[in-house]
Amino acid sequence: MAASPYRPECSRLVGICVLLGALWKIQAEQIRYSVPEELEKGSYVGNIAKDLGLEPRELSERGVRIISRGRTQLFALNPRSGSLVTAGKIDREELCDRSPKCVVSLEILLEDKVKIFGVEVEIIDVNDNAPSFGTEQREIKVAENESPGTRFPLPEAFDPDVGVNSLQGYQLSSNVHFSLDVQSGADGIKYPELVLELALDREEESVHHLLLTAFDGGDLPHSGTVKIHVTLVDTNDNAPVFTQPEYHVKVPENVPVGYRLLTVKATDPDEGANGEVTYSFRKVRDKMSQLFQLNSLTGDITILGNLDYEDSGFYDIDVEAHDGPGLRARSKVLVTILDVNDNAPEVTVTSLTSSIQETSSPGTVIALFNVHDSDSGENGLVTCSILDNLPFTLEKTYGNYHRLLTRRTLDREEVSEYNITVTATDHGTPPLSTETHISLQVADINDNPPAFPQASYSAYIPENNARGASILSIFAQDPDSTENARVTYSLAEDTLHGKPLSSYVSINSDTGVLYALCSFDFEQVRDLELLVTASDSGDPPLSSNVSVSIFVLDQNDNVPEILYPTIPTDGSTGVELAPRSAEPGYLVTKVVAVDRDSGQNAWLSYRLLKASEPGLFAVGLHTGEVRTARALLDRDALKQSLVVAVQDHGQPPLSATVTLTVAVANNIPDILADLGSLEPPADPDASGLTLYLVVAVAAVSCVFLAFVIVLLALRLRRWHASRLLQASGGGLVGVPASHFVGVDGVRAFLQTYSHEVSLTADSCESHVIFPQPNYADTLISQESCGKSEPLLVTQNLLETKADPSLHQ
């Protein structure tokens, strides 16, 4: 290492020499300066901007600053000149005591690059302290019979300066009896001794007054004096002698106050007062007098204050023993302080980031901190650690500096804030540790779309609802924060029955509540399929969809509708036919009704409300079939009027009624003869029309019956009489007739029945049979209701058409 180019002539400028040394780099990122002590505040130390390769204005722009570990700041940066200057007066003796070399270390941080530069500033000693004896006078007792050449120890002066500025020598005032001799010890310290040159005569002069002067070697030398009073006493020819020339002792720094360090011992063979030995410290400084105490009678040295290895690890104590007359002996007590792990590591955070984006790449610097332990050896070795489950890692950089880095990409939705505990632990026994807590916020980005808790939603709304009724509340969660988590809702465009969905329902964009914009009718709209979109407010926004099914619930708002028998539109009355020979349970007709509602609202039941002949007819509860409850009697009226009610099972139930007119007769002529009496005509024109229709129908029926009888008679005549009679007695030829019309002629041929006409060989009357009609449970097919079935004639009967006799 090159020495600093310090020139002694700079001290002649009364301590204001600005720069004493040039910049030296001992390793990468290491800068060295030299500066004398006692400079005024703001004195130039070095051009730090130039040495860092920066312009002066860049110091503040790039965040260049000095880092120290809690002690008084000795230096500062001048941002205008780019120089390193003193922050106040520097006292080398306060910083380094008597160390031959005084170097102050500091670190320069480049905030923008998170880079550290080490700077060492050597403090050059100036002669600012004068030698001091610590006392104004000293008394020395000398036996009057001392022979010339006897030496007497004199008090030593102390100069805290070093080198040439420290103590250089002593001078003694002129005296014929005494001279001064200075000895140099093995440690380089000069010890003044008073040498007796001429024999003394107490009676001639009992006290000699001398002045001892100590001087240093600076350009402006300083000096200190002490008065020496030499008092002559009676003869004491033996001085005390220590048992050891040097005492060595080791003691741990944590010994309690009052602890006995050791006992020094000196003996004197003289008797009486000349042999009584007392002990004292020599050249004791204030600091040492506060730590150690010497018992002047016993020689016990005890601990007076708390020892601190970090303050000083070694003490050199001069002990003096003197007898009554004043003969003295000296010895040294060398105290070595053993380090104890009594200092926990110190962690100083020099740079810290309080927030980081969750997309930051691994290796992003979170904090820069310095670790220091004032202990030594293993006690001063420090290891830093953090919890393993954290996504961070520690990296050691320059010196005792560490960086806290991200180990992987962070996820705010997983952890939004980290409380990182950095533990600095030394290697002492037992180890001591210090915890430093770093709080880190993870800044959010929009990386999560809104999420619905359900894959789909369904809701039910009764029909005939009020407009604006709330249907369903939909909620989507977004794990992001602030604007990235603010969700808005919307409906996808679609149509239903040619109308847009937005005319049926709407959604509150903030709350996600669906509202009905119209009153639904179950018979028109039974369900709606919607697609709801949830979008956040991030940049760019993210969204997700969910399907919503809305089902309209039926209400009993439709009265049963009677499809059969239908009510005539011209005021006429439909007539149902029933033969007097009908057995109990004979199907007369069937009431067919439907209900536009659904479910139990459409379940229909039938009951007979009123009948002109109670107990004659019964209605099926669930089928609506009107059947005879008993056999028809001759006394039963030809015209029977029935009122049938159809009722659904809704709440409340709704019903409809229909009036049936049943004509009872054994044969068609009877029916035709009595039809005119079923209902009086509403007016003369209607009565005449009805009469014509009745006559026409009767004539056609008679012709038809006569024609059938003739055909059958001719056919039977050609067969054998007996076989023909058996054949004709065992079967009937079916002659269907359709659409019998009411008496008033309006509802002609409305109802569909198949009538069988049975003709017997021994009877001149035709017999009309009314078989059971076949209906569906609910509705009659249009095909069966609309067509007229042709008259069925057997093949043998048709063959008679070729016979000429038939035409007769």
Side-chain angles (χ1 to χ4, degrees):
M1 182 187 304
S4 302
Y6 171 75
R7 296 185 296 274
E9 59 266 27
C10 291
S11 62
R12 299 190 184 96
L13 300 179
V14 198
I16 61 172
C17 181
V18 178
L19 178 63
L20 298 178
L23 172 67
W24 294 89
K25 291 188 177 181
I26 60 174
Q27 58 182 1
E29 302 178 348
Q30 183 72 40
I31 303 172
R32 171 168 289 184
Y33 299 108
S34 297
V35 63
E37 65 173 328
E38 299 299 328
L39 289 182
E40 294 296 327
K41 179 180 179 180
S43 298
Y44 176 86
V45 176
N47 192 341
I48 193 66
K50 178 181 179 182
D51 296 330
L52 293 178
L54 304 173
E55 294 296 329
R57 59 180 175 79
E58 292 183 280
L59 292 182
S60 59
E61 295 176 357
R62 301 186 63 176
V64 179
R65 57 188 175 94
I66 298 175
I67 305 172
S68 62
R69 289 195 302 269
R71 62 186 179 187
T72 303
Q73 187 68 45
L74 300 178
F75 302 96
L77 292 174
N78 189 328
R80 308 179 81 183
S81 63
S83 303
L84 182 68
V85 298
T86 58
K89 280 191 176 183
I90 302 175
D91 189 353
R92 182 189 184 282
E93 289 72 36
E94 182 180 354
L95 286 176
C96 304
D97 200 1
R98 298 197 63 189
S99 176
K101 192 169 186 179
C102 184
V103 177
V104 176
S105 297
L106 61 145
E107 290 83 28
I108 302 295
L109 172 66
L110 269 68
E111 189 77 30
D112 60 336
K113 290 186 177 181
V114 194
K115 193 172 183 182
I116 298 293
F117 290 87
V119 178
E120 288 186 358
V121 181
E122 183 179 2
I123 309 302
I124 305 300
D125 182 49
V126 298
N127 192 21
D128 58 339
N129 292 283
S132 173
F133 288 93
T135 182
E136 293 182 358
Q137 63 183 12
R138 169 66 72 85
E139 181 182 10
I140 300 177
K141 294 182 179 180
V142 179
E144 62 178 342
N145 60 347
E146 291 286 353
S147 58
T150 303
R151 296 173 176 270
F152 304 95
L154 292 176
E156 299 169 13
F158 175 76
D159 192 339
D161 295 326
V162 295
V164 69
N165 296 325
S166 64
L167 179 66
Q168 298 297 313
Y170 298 89
Q171 290 180 352
L172 186 67
S173 59
S174 177
N175 187 282
V176 295
H177 292 280
F178 299 95
S179 64
L180 178 67
D181 187 20
V182 179
Q183 300 290 332
S184 295
D187 53 4
I189 299 177
K190 295 178 173 58
Y191 300 97
E193 293 181 343
L194 188 65
V195 181
L196 181 61
E197 297 292 340
L198 295 175
L200 300 173
D201 186 0
R202 182 178 177 279
E203 287 72 19
E204 182 180 352
E205 188 175 359
S206 61
V207 178
H208 297 269
H209 299 281
L210 305 175
L211 183 65
L212 180 63
T213 302
F215 57 90
D216 57 26
D219 290 336
L220 294 175
H222 299 282
S223 62
T225 60
V226 62
K227 295 178 180 179
I228 307 298
H229 299 284
V230 181
T231 301
L232 302 180
V233 296
D234 289 340
T235 302
N236 180 25
D237 53 354
N238 291 290
V241 178
F242 281 98
T243 56
Q244 298 180 27
E246 288 183 347
Y247 294 88
H248 296 267
V249 63
K250 295 181 180 180
V251 60
E253 61 176 328
N254 60 347
V255 294
V257 175
Y259 175 79
R260 187 173 65 86
L261 188 63
L262 80 161
T263 300
V264 295
K265 183 67 175 176
T267 59
D268 192 326
D270 292 331
E271 295 181 354
N274 294 332
E276 294 179 357
V277 179
T278 58
Y279 305 92
S280 63
F281 287 135
R282 299 177 62 242
K283 77 175 177 180
V284 179
R285 290 178 293 171
D286 292 340
K287 186 175 183 181
M288 193 173 296
S289 64
Q290 296 172 0
L291 297 177
F292 303 100
Q293 184 179 33
L294 176 61
N295 190 311
S296 61
L297 298 178
T298 63
D300 292 337
I301 300 178
T302 56
I303 302 299
L304 188 61
N306 294 319
L307 301 179
D308 189 355
Y309 172 83
E310 289 70 39
D311 189 13
S312 179
F314 179 79
Y315 292 95
D316 183 353
I317 305 174
D318 288 327
V319 181
E320 186 177 70
H322 48 86
D323 54 19
L327 294 181
R328 301 171 184 271
R330 70 180 180 200
S331 181
K332 281 185 175 294
V333 177
L334 304 180
V335 181
T336 301
I337 307 299
L338 301 178
D339 183 38
V340 175
N341 192 26
D342 59 345
N343 291 281
E346 300 175 9
V347 178
T348 304
V349 179
T350 56
S351 180
L352 177 63
T353 299
S354 61
S355 178
I356 182 174
Q357 279 198 342
E358 59 179 325
T359 55
S360 298
S361 59
T364 302
V365 179
I366 304 300
L368 176 70
F369 56 90
N370 177 273
V371 180
H372 174 74
D373 195 315
S374 300
D375 295 321
S376 63
E378 291 293 322
N379 297 331
L381 294 179
V382 180
T383 300
C384 295
S385 63
I386 58 175
L387 294 178
D388 294 335
N389 59 351
L390 294 176
F392 305 99
T393 184
L394 290 174
E395 179 184 275
K396 189 173 183 180
T397 59
Y398 170 82
N400 290 326
Y401 283 89
H402 296 73
R403 293 195 302 177
L404 179 65
L405 312 171
T406 57
R407 189 170 57 190
R408 59 174 173 80
T409 302
L410 305 180
D411 187 357
R412 191 207 68 83
E413 288 69 45
E414 181 181 345
V415 180
S416 61
E417 180 181 3
Y418 289 93
N419 291 316
I420 309 167
T421 301
V422 179
T423 304
T425 307
D426 60 28
H427 293 192
T429 304
L432 300 178
S433 62
T434 299
E435 292 185 349
T436 300
H437 301 282
I438 297 175
S439 180
L440 179 65
Q441 300 287 338
V442 182
D444 181 52
I445 65 167
N446 192 26
D447 58 346
N448 290 280
F452 292 96
Q454 298 178 210
S456 62
Y457 291 85
S458 60
Y460 300 86
I461 182 171
E463 65 172 330
N464 305 320
N465 59 285
R467 292 185 179 182
S470 174
I471 302 176
L472 175 67
S473 178
I474 298 175
F475 178 70
Q477 290 182 328
D478 194 318
D480 294 323
S481 64
T482 62
E483 288 298 310
N484 296 331
R486 189 168 66 85
V487 180
T488 57
Y489 304 89
S490 61
L491 291 177
E493 291 296 332
D494 201 352
T495 59
L496 179 64
H497 300 313
K499 296 173 62 178
L501 279 178
S502 57
S503 64
Y504 292 93
V505 293
S506 68
I507 189 168
N508 189 308
S509 61
D510 295 324
T511 63
V513 177
L514 281 167
Y515 296 96
L517 297 181
C518 64
S519 180
F520 290 102
D521 186 355
F522 175 81
E523 288 69 39
Q524 294 182 2
V525 178
R526 297 199 173 191
D527 59 79
L528 293 88
E529 293 293 335
L530 311 176
L531 190 65
V532 177
T533 301
S535 304
D536 59 28
S537 302
D539 186 17
L542 301 178
S543 63
S544 59
N545 301 323
V546 68
S547 61
V548 179
S549 299
I550 299 176
F551 300 96
V552 180
L553 300 178
D554 181 48
Q555 288 186 326
N556 194 26
D557 58 346
N558 289 282
V559 176
E561 180 181 354
I562 299 175
L563 301 180
Y564 182 84
T566 58
I567 300 174
T569 59
D570 58 355
S572 62
T573 302
V575 178
E576 305 294 337
L577 303 179
R580 286 189 179 275
S581 61
E583 297 294 330
Y586 175 82
L587 177 64
V588 177
T589 186
K590 182 176 182 178
V591 178
V592 180
V594 294
D595 195 316
R596 296 175 62 193
D597 295 323
S598 66
Q600 68 178 9
N601 295 329
W603 297 351
L604 302 180
S605 60
Y606 304 83
R607 60 192 176 94
L608 186 60
L609 286 182
K610 186 174 68 172
S612 58
E613 185 66 38
L616 179 57
F617 298 98
V619 178
L621 178 63
H622 300 295
T623 62
E625 295 177 345
V626 179
R627 295 179 181 270
T628 57
R630 61 174 175 80
L632 296 171
L633 303 177
D634 293 338
R635 59 181 175 82
D636 292 330
L638 173 65
K639 174 186 175 183
Q640 297 291 332
S641 179
L642 307 176
V643 178
V644 179
V646 183
Q647 180 175 291
D648 59 27
H649 288 206
Q651 293 296 329
L654 302 177
S655 62
T657 60
V658 63
T659 301
L660 302 177
T661 300
V662 180
V664 180
N666 281 331
N667 50 55
I668 293 177
D670 293 340
I671 297 174
L672 296 177
D674 296 334
L675 282 177
S677 63
L678 293 179
E679 269 187 9
D683 53 57
D685 295 336
S687 177
L689 178 61
T690 301
L691 178 60
Y692 293 145
L693 289 175
V694 170
V695 172
V697 171
V700 172
S701 298
C702 291
V703 172
F704 171 74
L705 290 174
F707 177 72
V708 171
I709 292 171
V710 170
L711 288 178
L712 289 176
L714 292 176
R715 183 65 177 170
L716 291 174
R717 190 176 297 175
R718 296 176 64 181
W719 289 351
H720 296 289
S722 60
R723 295 180 62 184
L724 290 174
L725 291 174
Q726 292 175 358
S728 63
L732 296 175
V733 179
V735 182
S738 302
H739 311 295
F740 187 78
V741 182
V743 176
D744 53 6
V746 178
R747 297 289 307 278
F749 306 103
L750 175 65
Q751 304 172 46
T752 302
Y753 288 93
S754 295
H755 308 291
E756 292 183 358
V757 179
S758 300
L759 301 177
T760 60
D762 56 352
S763 176
C764 62
E765 283 185 321
S766 64
H767 182 65
V768 182
I769 302 174
F770 297 87
Q772 293 182 1
N774 185 18
Y775 297 101
D777 289 339
T778 56
L779 297 177
I780 301 175
S781 66
Q782 293 180 356
E783 181 180 359
S784 63
C785 294
K787 69 181 180 178
S788 299
E789 297 180 0
L791 179 65
L792 300 179
V793 182
T794 62
Q795 183 178 2
N796 293 332
L797 183 61
L798 294 176
E799 289 176 354
T800 61
K801 293 181 180 180
D803 193 344
S805 61
L806 292 178
H807 296 287
Q808 293 179 359

